């Protein structure tokens, strides 16, 4: 599959996706969102994939937002559909079976902040900057920003950022819990790879279960504790549970097969 707006490769069972429109600060136009969906398809169908890394090409931006040039002249129906489609795509990342890590090397604004928040973890450089500046344009976030920002940083801080359109720097994002780590530019991708490798040494079905249970906490259709108990129980049909517990008793490293 060829891409025009992203770069995507799978190396050593880790998918690396770079939004690749640096002259537009990697703004997410519809073509780019479609290609991200196609890359997720490839990743989902890749046996043994340990995780996904998302980043932005160039030195200035992770993603500076949805492409504003596509917003003019939208009808109510078209704008609603645009938001629903973006949300559906970002749900695919949030519900991905293996860890998804955003490597934020600059501006993560609007749809870029929303994209980073749909990932499971966020690692940034000192140049990372987060914000939801949509109100500057007379609009609100549409790809989940009003919901996920509250999940990460709490309602008071989220409302301030959403209403003032202020940006926060990497240190503030770390203090708020929006960033997991701050590293140098050279360490950015290697740090994400090392976290994915560490997670990849655990039981893949258990990791999938952890992701599903964490997402269940925020899903009003699900009751998190029941969901956790059921997910815990279902794992006992897997051979990985036998392998993991046996390996502990035999004092050796478990060799999980994801089955
Ligand atoms: N949509 C479309 N194009 C965008 C964009 C976006 N969200 N963000 C940046 N660009 C484009 C600019 O139009 C410019 O294109 P041009 O060179 O063809 O004129 C190019 O990317 C570089 O951006 P520029 O504004 O010149 O860079 P800067 O360093 O002066 O400012 C920002 C950087 C991030 C502060 C500024 O680009 C910005 O405010 N972007 C919009 C952020 C936003 O509102 N995002 C939410 C959208 S819903």
């Amino acid at each position: 599959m060829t891409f025009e707006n992203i770069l995507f490769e799978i190396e050593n069972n880790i998918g690396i996706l770079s939004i690749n429109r640096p002259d537009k600060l990697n703004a997410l136009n519809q073509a780019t969102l479609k290609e991200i969906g196609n890359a997720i398809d490839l990743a989902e169908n890749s046996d043994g994939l340990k995780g996904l890394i998302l980043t932005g090409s160039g030195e200035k931006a992770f993603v500076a937002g949805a492409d504003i040039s596509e917003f003019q002249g939208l009808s109510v129906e078209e704008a609603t559909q645009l938001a629903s489609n973006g949300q559906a795509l970002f749900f695919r990342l949030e519900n991905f079976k293996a860890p998804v890590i955003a490597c934020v090397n600059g501006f993560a604004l609007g749809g870029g902040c929303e994209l980073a928040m749909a990932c499971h973890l966020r690692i940034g450089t000192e140049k990372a900057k987060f914000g939801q500046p949509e109100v500057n344009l007379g609009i609100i976030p549409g790809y989940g920003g009003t919901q996920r920002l509250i999940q990460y940083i709490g309602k008071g801080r989220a409302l301030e950022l959403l209403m003032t359109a202020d940006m926060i720097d990497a240190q503030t994002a770390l203090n708020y819990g929006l960033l997991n780590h701050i590293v140098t530019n050279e360490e950015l991708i290697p740090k994400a790879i090392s976290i994915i490798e560490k997670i990849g040494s655990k039981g893949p079905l258990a990791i999938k279960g952890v992701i599903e249970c964490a997402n269940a906490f925020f899903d009003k259709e699900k009751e998190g504790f029941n969901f956790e108990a059921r997910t815990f129980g279902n794992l006992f049909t897997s051979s990985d549970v036998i392998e993991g517990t046996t390996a502990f008793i035999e004092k050796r490293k478990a060799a999980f097969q994801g089955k």
Side-chain angles (χ1 to χ4, degrees), residues 3-243:
F3 295 111
E4 287 178 12
N5 301 286
I6 66 168
L7 305 172
F8 182 64
E9 57 175 5
I10 297 178
E11 207 172 302
N12 299 324
N13 285 323
I14 297 175
I16 304 187
L17 190 165
S18 300
I19 317 294
N20 191 31
R21 303 180 73 212
D23 52 339
K24 294 291 176 192
L25 304 188
N26 302 320
L28 297 174
N29 59 5
Q30 290 305 303
T32 305
L33 291 171
K34 189 162 188 291
E35 291 187 6
I36 294 172
N38 293 339
I40 297 171
D41 290 341
L42 290 176
E44 276 175 351
N45 292 321
S46 172
D47 278 347
L49 193 89
K50 292 182 194 159
L52 268 181
I53 293 171
L54 266 69
T55 192
S57 296
E59 308 215 319
K60 274 180 80 172
F62 173 69
V63 166
D67 193 319
I68 298 166
S69 68
E70 293 184 342
F71 282 168
Q72 286 180 319
L74 291 180
S75 66
V76 171
E77 290 74 22
E78 286 167 337
T80 308
Q81 194 59 53
L82 183 115
S84 297
N85 291 349
Q87 288 182 8
L89 178 68
F90 288 10
F91 275 128
R92 290 187 69 192
L93 290 171
E94 189 166 61
N95 294 310
F96 197 72
K97 60 184 175 177
V100 182
I101 302 184
C103 286
V104 181
N105 47 329
F107 293 112
L109 303 176
C113 186
E114 292 168 304
L115 179 63
M117 291 193 294
C119 298
H120 301 133
L121 308 179
R122 282 145 299 285
I123 305 172
T125 67
E126 288 288 354
K127 279 171 59 188
K129 278 197 162 45
F130 294 85
Q132 296 285 168
E134 285 86 349
V135 291
N136 285 335
L137 306 168
I139 57 173
I140 66 165
Y143 296 162
T146 62
Q147 305 301 295
R148 290 197 182 93
L149 195 59
I150 291 175
Q151 293 171 11
Y152 286 111
I153 72 174
K155 187 175 174 186
R157 286 164 168 171
L159 276 175
E160 184 173 350
L161 291 189
L162 289 162
M163 294 197 290
T164 61
D166 282 350
M167 288 185 218
I168 53 170
D169 63 15
Q171 285 298 339
T172 308
L174 186 73
N175 292 341
Y176 282 8
L178 190 55
L179 271 177
N180 293 78
H181 303 280
I182 299 177
V183 296
T184 64
N185 203 38
E186 294 67 41
E187 288 167 336
L188 190 57
I189 301 293
K191 175 76 177 173
I193 290 174
S194 82
I195 293 174
I196 290 175
E197 291 290 359
K198 179 185 265 190
I199 296 171
S201 70
K202 320 298 179 193
L205 296 176
I207 297 303
K208 182 168 171 278
V210 166
I211 292 168
E212 288 171 354
C213 287
N215 289 338
F217 179 84
F218 299 104
D219 185 341
K220 294 185 179 66
E221 309 275 300
K222 295 194 177 111
E223 201 286 302
F225 285 97
N226 283 335
F227 188 84
E228 181 190 84
R230 280 202 309 280
T231 306
F232 179 85
N234 287 339
L235 283 170
F236 282 76
T237 61
S238 74
S239 51
D240 276 358
V241 169
I242 300 168
E243 168 61 12

